[in-house]
């Protein structure tokens, strides 16, 4: 990972245009090729970004200090450096992925064993379906044969929806699986996570732990 702190301006040109005026910002260039620009607020969310696959070209000569990031759709993120305050690279290696707590792991096991509770005709492909950025909790098919990726949390928040979004981007590049839709499943889902999931075209499901264990009515509430 490369970390650059610089005073810079940023322009995006694609389906729409956007401009960030000059200010000190953090630029992250990850090993997967993604580039994101951050301010010292907004928690983890970048001001602008380019998801992989994309290429980064650092200008020389008359364009010295101008970074151009281009994705496969031809969209551009142009970063104009005015002053570089810090520039360092760090090898992080392969991440082991998020380790679920006991409840999440058990929810995954129970839902995989009773995948039909999502709807008639659902069939399991496998649990812990590995991708380049970590394992998808459950991969299955619905009654129409479409691939479905399921991310399971005990408490469903925005970061879980973001995680599932990244998995879907990768899975939909595989012609043997695409098109792949997502379901965000949790015992409790925050309103903001529901809004984001809906905006991303991701379904969400409230899981009843006791019902999955066969203690109560085994219906899931699908929204």
């Amino acid at each position: 990972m490369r970390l650059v702190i610089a005073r810079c301006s940023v322009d995006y040109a694609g389906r729409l245009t956007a401009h960030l005026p000059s200010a000190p910002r953090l630029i992250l260039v990850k090993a997967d090729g993604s580039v994101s620009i951050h301010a010292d607020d907004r928690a983890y969310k970048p001001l602008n970004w380019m998801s992989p696959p994309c290429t980064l070209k650092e200008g020389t000569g008359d364009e010295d200090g101008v970074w151009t990031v281009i994705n496969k759709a031809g969209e551009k993120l142009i970063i104009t450096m005015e002053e570089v305050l810090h520039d360092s690279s760090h090898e992080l290696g392969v991440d082991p992925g998020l380790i679920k707590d006991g409840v999440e792991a058990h929810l995954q096991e129970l839902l995989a064993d009773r995948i039909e509770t999502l709807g008639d005709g659902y069939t399991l492909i496998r649990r812990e379906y590995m991708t380049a950025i970590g394992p998808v909790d459950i991969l299955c098919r619905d009654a129409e044969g479409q691939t479905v990726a399921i991310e399971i949390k005990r408490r469903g928040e925005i970061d879980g929806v973001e995680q599932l979004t990244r998995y879907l981007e990768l899975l939909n590049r595989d012609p043997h699986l695409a098109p792949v839709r997502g379901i965000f499943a949790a015992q409790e889902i925050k309103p903001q996570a529901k809004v984001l999931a809906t905006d991303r075209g991701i379904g969400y499901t409230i899981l009843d732990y006791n019902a999955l264990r066969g203690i109560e009515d085994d219906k899931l509430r699908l929204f």
Side-chain angles (χ1 to χ4, degrees):
M1 178 183 291
R2 184 177 178 186
L3 308 176
V4 178
I5 299 174
R7 178 173 291 277
C8 62
S9 61
V10 183
D11 292 278
Y12 169 80
R15 290 166 293 180
L16 48 80
T17 59
H19 174 72
L20 294 173
S22 176
R25 298 187 175 95
L26 169 65
I27 303 167
L28 298 181
V29 183
K30 295 187 178 181
D32 63 4
S34 63
V35 178
S36 57
I37 296 96
H38 299 259
D40 200 11
D41 59 9
R42 298 166 61 94
Y44 61 88
K45 188 174 182 179
L47 297 166
N48 214 326
W49 67 94
M50 193 70 81
S51 299
C54 57
T55 58
L56 168 61
K57 178 183 177 183
E58 297 184 42
T60 58
D62 292 340
E63 295 189 347
D64 185 37
V66 178
W67 289 15
T68 303
V69 188
I70 306 176
N71 67 12
K72 63 180 180 180
E75 298 168 319
K76 294 182 180 180
L77 195 64
I78 301 170
I79 307 169
T80 303
M81 305 287 191
E82 298 172 13
E83 181 184 9
V84 176
L85 306 173
H86 175 85
D87 189 345
S88 63
S89 296
H90 308 269
E91 182 60 52
L92 302 185
V94 178
D95 191 89
L98 180 67
I99 298 175
K100 302 280 186 182
D101 66 22
V103 173
E104 288 181 10
H106 199 202
L107 281 170
Q108 181 192 121
E109 180 182 354
L110 288 169
L111 186 56
D113 188 53
R114 305 181 66 187
I115 198 67
E116 71 282 353
T117 56
L118 289 173
D120 292 338
Y122 273 76
T123 57
L124 179 68
I125 296 176
R126 66 167 297 166
R127 290 172 53 196
E128 299 287 330
Y129 186 90
M130 186 56 64
T131 74
I133 58 173
V136 177
D137 286 336
I138 293 177
L139 199 67
C140 61
R141 295 193 189 279
D142 63 17
E144 286 72 43
Q146 183 177 0
T147 309
V148 182
I150 303 172
E151 179 63 26
I152 297 173
K153 300 291 184 186
R154 184 165 53 85
R155 170 185 276 183
E157 301 192 50
I158 285 177
D159 57 350
V161 179
E162 294 283 7
Q163 184 180 358
L164 180 53
T165 300
R166 293 192 293 271
Y167 287 146
L168 289 170
E169 286 180 0
L170 286 175
L171 292 169
N172 273 299
R173 296 177 197 167
D174 186 339
H176 299 293
L177 298 175
V180 184
R181 65 182 178 91
I183 295 178
F184 187 50
Q187 289 180 283
E188 172 193 359
I189 301 179
K190 296 294 184 180
Q192 299 92 331
K194 293 179 181 180
V195 171
L196 183 60
T198 301
D199 182 69
R200 299 278 175 85
I202 293 172
Y204 56 87
T205 301
I206 305 298
L207 296 177
D208 187 323
Y209 185 55
N210 286 331
L212 283 173
R213 294 167 63 199
I215 295 176
E216 297 177 356
D217 189 336
D218 65 355
K219 292 182 180 178
L220 296 180
R221 297 187 294 279
L222 295 177
F223 299 87

